[in-house]
Amino acid sequence: MQFKDYTYQHIDAPLLQKQLSDLALAIQESKTIEQVQDCIKKVDEIRRFVTTQVSLVEIRHTIDTKNDFYTKEQEFLDSVLPELEKDYEKINRALLDSAFLADLKQALPETFFLQKEMDIKAFDPVIVEDMQEENRLMTKYQALIASAEIPFDGKVYNLSSLEVKTNSSDRQVRKRALQAYWNWFEQHEEQVAEIFDQMIKVRTRMAQKMGYENFIELGYARMRRYDYDQKDVANYRKQVLKDVVPLCSTLYQRQQKRLGYDTLHAWDEKVEFVQGNPTPKYDRAELVKRAQKMYHELSKETGVFFDFMVEHDLLDLDSKPGKAAGGYCTFMPDYRSPFIFANFNQTQYDAEVLTHEAGHAYQIFESRDIYPGDCVWPTYESCEIHSMSMEFFTHPWMNSFFEEDTKRYYYSHMAGSLKFLPYGVLVDHFQHEVYAHPQMSHKERMDTWRRLEKEYLPHKNYEEVDILERGGWWMRQAHIFMSPFYYIDYTLAQVCAMQFWARMENKDPKAFEDYQHICKIGGTLPFRKIVKEAGLIVPFEEGCLAQVTSSVSQWLDAISEEDLAA
């Protein structure tokens, strides 16, 4: 069966609510642990069904945001899902109050009940209308970004497809492309700012209704951060400032010298080499064919996985009008199928997003039968270990994508991975600031971004791009709108992925075996325990960043400019 044949069923919310309410009562009245376990199984079946339908709508809506049917279904789900949370909460409370709780904890994965505890901290029926409003605002932002139609050199581009021009080896082309890209945001600045202001207000209102001072604590609960807190993140940010930012400044200086420029402007940052960045030598169809061969050679398991994705048509990779921006992987439990969504744009991003999202998809493919289904996915920072590490584990095959540009790809990918860490921490720090001070005006938010940007990315030169000089870069970062506080996760995972890379460099035969192990265990453990299961150092530990980034920096320093010019 191919993806086009996967059947979408409109959710009968009243029926599901009655079923869940009945199951909550049945858990409360259970006389044996077996009766409770039977209820958990039935709840799991409902959750799997709902998740499948939600994923089908998300995929089909984001592939074509102009499709009226799935746009209306998305609006319907935006309203219905918060209502279902009320019934899931009854289930959670009934389970945590069960006389059989101790024995259930022995029988089910550790994270199953951690989830229930965290979800109770993250939800109260009094915030349902606010959650519905938040969902509407997220859909509104996504539709606004997807609607971009930007004339450039005789063609019309969306934001994703225009990015290929911002990577051009022709400095004037990429300058004009970057200005066109940000001119669109400047023209829509008021709309973006208003959507974000409403988001901050509704999220703050939810938090205060639940007794929190601001949204930050509620945001952490929603992210299910079981084994680290704001203090851990703040200390981690300090390590990034101390150990990573100076290294990145050196990399930018080297880049500027390599390009032969007096100044590295905003439109120069994405280009590492005079001859332009490495680009895949093939179109999407051929890249997928070569990826299929690569995954067969990587391991038997990855070969089986990628065959499944291709045979069931579970990859939508082309950028096209009306398609939502970005890339993601999602999962349809009832079809036991991951799905990869991306916007190829003929840059090295194509190889990176394909291997990145394949890392997510491989993990979910390997752990898709974990029970209960709530424990198939780990929390986000653990999910990103799978994706970012897969980017490195596939390095040996990148010559079949980039051919003569392979050496430059390795350098660009590794330098980009290191440079990403301060940016990722900046996105997180900005969110802490705006949610700690929800009364900020749009200008104050812009000023806050620019102030923090000067700490984490001191090289930035926004001459001739006014909206960026005023602090507008955050407006393009969808996570800030769609998944608040989901960003530090990428940096934590990147530090873990770099450790896997170092083990590969040192010919550690257990590196990929450990990676496959944490894919198989899915979300059955919290973040710190998953990292240790992988044989890695937890990024919060003092000295971890210094050790990891030192290895990467030495590797980059060992590559001569002559090698890169060859």
Side-chain angles (χ1 to χ4, degrees):
M1 181 187 288
Q2 291 196 314
F3 175 70
K4 64 182 174 60
D5 301 315
Y6 288 13
T7 304
Y8 170 65
Q9 297 180 55
H10 183 83
I11 289 174
D12 185 339
L15 175 62
L16 289 183
Q17 287 179 295
K18 183 178 187 312
Q19 290 174 342
L20 289 168
S21 185
D22 289 346
L23 285 166
L25 184 61
I27 292 169
Q28 292 170 354
E29 295 177 349
S30 291
K31 305 300 181 187
T32 67
I33 189 171
E34 288 78 16
Q35 289 176 333
V36 180
Q37 289 172 323
D38 184 59
C39 291
I40 292 172
K41 182 179 179 183
K42 290 175 180 174
V43 173
D44 189 63
E45 289 169 356
I46 292 172
R47 278 192 178 275
R48 289 172 65 89
F49 168 76
V50 171
T51 300
T52 299
Q53 307 319 313
V54 169
S55 293
L56 284 167
V57 169
E58 176 190 22
I59 294 165
R60 289 171 177 161
H61 172 65
T62 52
I63 286 173
D64 181 8
T65 59
K66 297 178 180 179
N67 181 304
D68 287 340
F69 176 78
Y70 284 107
T71 296
K72 287 175 182 173
E73 288 303 292
Q74 185 64 61
E75 291 169 355
F76 166 73
L77 290 175
D78 287 347
S79 176
V80 163
L81 294 178
E83 291 288 346
L84 286 179
E85 285 300 323
K86 291 191 289 190
D87 302 289
Y88 287 135
E89 187 209 26
K90 293 176 187 175
I91 299 283
N92 294 344
R93 291 189 181 278
L95 287 171
L96 292 172
D97 290 340
S98 171
F100 306 102
L101 180 61
D103 290 332
L104 288 167
K105 284 186 174 182
Q106 293 297 314
L108 296 169
E110 175 181 347
T111 50
F112 181 72
F113 286 102
L114 288 175
Q115 280 182 22
K116 307 310 162 198
E117 292 165 6
M118 198 64 80
D119 289 353
I120 284 173
K121 291 181 180 179
F123 177 78
D124 188 287
V126 300
I127 67 170
V128 166
E129 289 186 8
D130 297 309
M131 291 173 69
Q132 292 168 332
E133 175 62 16
E134 181 187 27
N135 285 341
R136 284 191 288 271
L137 290 168
M138 290 192 290
T139 300
K140 187 176 181 180
Y141 171 79
Q142 197 170 47
L144 175 62
I145 296 300
S147 74
E149 294 182 346
I150 305 169
F152 186 79
D153 286 354
K155 294 184 179 180
V156 177
Y157 296 83
N158 63 19
L159 290 168
S160 295
S161 60
L162 185 59
E163 286 201 37
V164 67
K165 298 297 183 181
T166 68
N167 286 272
S168 172
S169 57
D170 185 320
R171 197 180 193 192
Q172 286 305 310
V173 169
R174 64 178 184 261
K175 176 182 177 179
R176 291 188 297 104
L178 187 99
Q179 289 174 328
Y181 184 101
W182 285 104
N183 281 344
W184 184 89
F185 275 96
E186 196 151 29
Q187 292 163 12
H188 296 83
E189 180 178 355
E190 189 175 329
Q191 290 167 273
V192 176
E194 178 61 22
I195 289 171
F196 190 51
D197 186 68
Q198 290 178 37
M199 283 179 168
I200 289 174
K201 285 188 168 93
V202 74
R203 287 168 180 160
T204 300
R205 188 162 65 244
M206 284 192 282
Q208 291 176 345
K209 283 181 180 180
M210 292 186 66
Y212 299 117
E213 181 181 356
N214 55 48
F215 178 71
I216 297 172
E217 194 172 352
L218 175 57
Y220 271 55
R222 287 184 5 172
M223 291 294 294
R224 294 175 174 169
R225 292 189 168 154
Y226 304 132
D227 53 1
Y228 63 95
D229 57 23
Q230 293 179 56
K231 184 178 177 182
D232 292 313
V233 171
N235 288 334
Y236 173 75
R237 289 201 297 257
K238 290 176 185 175
Q239 285 191 69
V240 170
L241 282 169
K242 177 171 68 76
D243 298 320
V244 186
V245 170
L247 291 178
C248 291
S249 294
T250 301
L251 286 176
Y252 284 114
Q253 289 165 12
R254 183 178 176 182
Q255 180 182 359
Q256 178 184 328
K257 185 177 178 181
R258 182 186 310 120
L259 293 171
Y261 299 151
D262 293 332
T263 303
L264 196 70
H265 284 278
W267 50 82
D268 299 321
E269 282 183 35
K270 290 184 177 181
V271 177
E272 284 282 355
F273 311 105
V274 174
Q275 60 269 61
N277 284 351
T279 56
K281 304 307 175 187
Y282 304 98
D283 62 14
R284 185 258 313 150
E286 182 64 22
L287 287 178
V288 170
K289 183 179 175 182
R290 287 172 180 248
Q292 194 164 10
K293 181 175 184 291
M294 171 181 76
Y295 280 118
H296 272 277
E297 292 174 359
L298 178 59
S299 76
K300 177 183 176 181
E301 293 86 352
T302 51
V304 169
F305 146 72
F306 207 77
D307 285 348
F308 180 89
M309 299 296 289
V310 171
E311 289 163 8
H312 291 79
D313 196 25
L314 295 165
L315 304 101
D316 192 286
L317 307 174
D318 291 319
S319 180
K320 46 203 168 193
K323 185 174 181 179
Y328 64 78
C329 170
T330 190
F331 179 53
M332 294 160 281
D334 285 350
Y335 294 102
R336 302 177 70 244
S337 296
F339 190 95
I340 293 175
F341 171 101
N343 280 274
F344 275 15
N345 57 17
Q346 298 84 53
T347 69
Q348 73 180 59
Y349 160 87
D350 296 353
E352 289 169 6
V353 74
L354 178 59
T355 53
H356 180 99
E357 300 304 341
H360 286 308
Y362 176 64
Q363 176 262 304
I364 205 71
F365 187 82
E366 287 295 288
S367 61
R368 58 187 172 168
D369 294 324
I370 286 175
Y371 174 82
D374 289 352
C375 301
V376 169
W377 287 109
T379 45
Y380 287 136
E381 70 292 285
S382 300
C383 282
E384 298 304 339
I385 299 175
H386 309 127
S387 56
M388 290 179 157
S389 299
M390 182 63 87
E391 294 179 38
F392 290 124
F393 280 119
T394 53
H395 264 196
W397 288 269
M398 286 299 105
N399 61 317
S400 71
F401 288 52
F402 292 96
E403 296 188 347
E404 71 274 9
D405 285 342
T406 302
K407 234 178 230 182
R408 283 188 285 274
Y409 171 75
Y410 289 152
Y411 180 91
S412 181
H413 183 218
M414 184 56 80
S417 297
L418 190 60
K419 289 174 179 176
F420 170 74
L421 295 178
Y423 174 74
V425 171
L426 161 63
V427 170
D428 181 76
H429 198 161
F430 173 71
Q431 292 182 88
H432 277 81
E433 289 292 320
V434 297
Y435 286 111
H437 306 96
Q439 74 285 354
M440 279 185 185
S441 65
H442 171 59
K443 182 180 184 306
E444 288 170 329
R445 289 173 191 140
M446 298 278 277
D447 291 345
T448 296
W449 175 271
R450 193 68 183 102
R451 171 177 59 80
L452 294 173
E453 197 172 40
K454 288 176 180 177
E455 290 182 40
Y456 292 103
L457 306 170
H459 69 282
K460 288 285 187 182
N461 182 331
Y462 289 141
E463 187 180 353
E464 296 187 61
V465 192
D466 177 64
I467 190 171
L468 295 182
E469 183 56 44
R470 290 189 288 110
W473 185 280
W474 59 271
M475 290 191 287
R476 73 178 292 280
Q477 190 57 65
H479 297 71
I480 291 174
F481 298 83
M482 306 295 291
S483 305
F485 291 108
Y486 180 7
Y487 218 73
I488 197 76
D489 313 71
Y490 290 111
T491 75
L492 295 170
Q494 189 70 278
V495 172
C496 294
M498 286 174 172
Q499 292 180 64
F500 270 132
W501 166 84
R503 290 173 63 181
M504 290 168 59
E505 285 290 300
N506 293 327
K507 311 297 183 189
D508 180 348
K510 278 201 74 212
F512 192 66
E513 182 184 323
D514 284 346
Y515 171 78
Q516 288 185 299
H517 170 61
I518 62 169
C519 287
K520 290 179 190 298
I521 64 176
T524 58
L525 293 174
F527 172 63
R528 289 179 188 262
K529 288 187 177 181
I530 287 176
V531 174
K532 290 176 180 176
E533 285 282 319
L536 308 175
I537 304 169
V538 175
F540 297 121
E541 290 185 18
E542 195 65 41
C544 175
L545 273 173
Q547 178 181 327
V548 172
T549 55
S550 174
S551 298
V552 174
S553 180
Q554 287 174 31
W555 184 86
L556 291 167
D557 289 345
I559 300 176
S560 70
E561 291 302 319
E562 289 75 19
D563 283 339
L564 295 175

